[in-house]
């Protein structure tokens, strides 16, 4: 006669009753390091992330340069190239959303998130670490893109401090959008769906803005939408900080266009607050 017994469930590491902010940050940085090492092992991710913005720079500079009227500069192709770069920079940081969506969806599908659950770590650290890693990757891509833009004709005219402030606004916007990507990645069933879901809404967001053409050139009903677009505030804000606006340029009357740096920072902080809350809540429900 044999006696059988159920196998004991795998032991879990005890989770601290109360995780401090410092512990949560340490956990987030560990997860960020894991994702960065993974990115280094797959350099194609960074390379392909650079191809699209470089193509946009070249195509828009030489195909549309000289055919788009810039207030204060007319059809000057050199003025358009400097005008364009703020839009390309902002578009590049927001397109990191798709990478965040796909990465989190892949981790969910492969069960890596379940492994994190067994560790005594902050619940939100998995998402925060992922967004930190995506932000680091975005910063590298921005740096390379800025170097590539110099031969095309882009220059910074307002000094080092304003240049750093401009890139700071761009990275803040990019970080905000990675939280949107995190929520999308947690809401779909596959990395393929996450990639599509992370991109499909970005095209109207970036093109219905002042990224590539001034709002003055748009139909009367469309211009206010572009001017109140959070993306537009960042684009105009970095153009102003970089000194890429023509001397005779006058910003539209909409509040975000009159105060673009403040509007950009406020929009980004609100997006982070809203989507981080929803993403962490979604993550906790998904992982039990």
């Amino acid at each position: 006669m044999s006696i059988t017994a159920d196998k004991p469930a795998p032991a879990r590491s005890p989770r601290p009753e109360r995780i401090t902010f410092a512990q949560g940050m340490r956990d987030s940085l560990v997860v960020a390091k894991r994702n960065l090492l993974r990115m280094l092992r797959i350099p194609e991710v960074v390379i392909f992330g650079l191809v699209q913005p470089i193509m946009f720079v070249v195509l828009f500079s030489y195909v549309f340069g000289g055919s788009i009227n810039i207030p204060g500069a007319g059809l000057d192709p050199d003025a358009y190239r400097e005008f364009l770069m703020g839009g390309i920079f902002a578009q590049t940081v927001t397109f990191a959303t798709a990478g965040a969506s796909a990465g989190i969806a892949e981790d969910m599908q492969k069960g890596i998130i379940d492994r994190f659950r067994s560790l005594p770590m902050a619940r939100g650290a998995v998402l925060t670490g992922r967004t930190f890693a995506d932000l680091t990757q975005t910063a590298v891509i921005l740096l390379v893109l800025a170097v590539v833009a110099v031969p095309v004709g882009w220059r910074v005219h307002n000094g080092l401090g304003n240049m750093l402030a401009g890139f700071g606004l761009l990275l803040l916007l990019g970080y905000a959008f990675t939280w949107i990507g995190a929520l999308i990645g947690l809401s779909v069933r596959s990395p393929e769906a996450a990639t599509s879901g992370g991109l499909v809404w970005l095209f109207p967001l970036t093109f219905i803005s002042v990224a590539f053409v001034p709002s003055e050139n748009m139909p009367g009903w469309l211009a206010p939408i572009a001017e109140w677009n959070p993306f537009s505030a960042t684009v105009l804000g970095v153009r102003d900080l970089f000194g890429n606006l023509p001397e005779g340029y006058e910003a539209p009357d909409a509040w975000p266009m009159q105060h673009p740096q403040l509007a950009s920072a406020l929009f980004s902080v609100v997006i982070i607050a809203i989507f981080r809350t929803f993403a962490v809540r979604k993550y906790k429900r998904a992982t039990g």
Side-chain angles (χ1 to χ4, degrees), residues 59-139:
L59 290 174
F60 275 80
S61 295
Y62 295 104
V63 174
F64 295 105
S67 61
I68 294 180
N69 182 45
I70 306 298
L75 299 176
D76 182 1
D78 293 330
Y80 179 71
R81 291 188 188 105
E82 291 209 336
F83 181 87
L84 170 70
M85 283 312 303
I88 297 293
F89 286 138
Q91 185 190 54
T92 300
V93 300
T94 55
F95 271 51
T97 303
S101 301
I104 290 174
E106 184 179 10
D107 285 348
M108 294 288 290
Q109 187 182 59
K110 290 184 175 180
I112 295 174
I113 301 299
D114 290 331
R115 300 177 190 175
F116 284 133
R117 287 176 59 199
S118 66
L119 300 175
M121 61 187 296
R123 285 287 182 88
V126 174
L127 300 182
T128 303
R130 175 75 209 196
T131 57
F132 282 172
D134 289 326
L135 180 65
T136 303
Q137 179 183 342
T138 300

Side-chain angles (χ1 to χ4, degrees), residues 155-189:
R155 298 290 185 276
V156 175
H157 305 285
N158 284 349
L160 179 62
N162 283 326
M163 182 186 73
L164 294 176
F167 282 115
L169 279 182
L170 289 167
L171 291 175
L172 182 61
L173 179 72
Y175 185 66
F177 274 62
T178 58
W179 280 107
I180 301 177
L183 182 60
I184 293 172
L186 291 167
S187 303
V188 298
R189 298 181 180 180

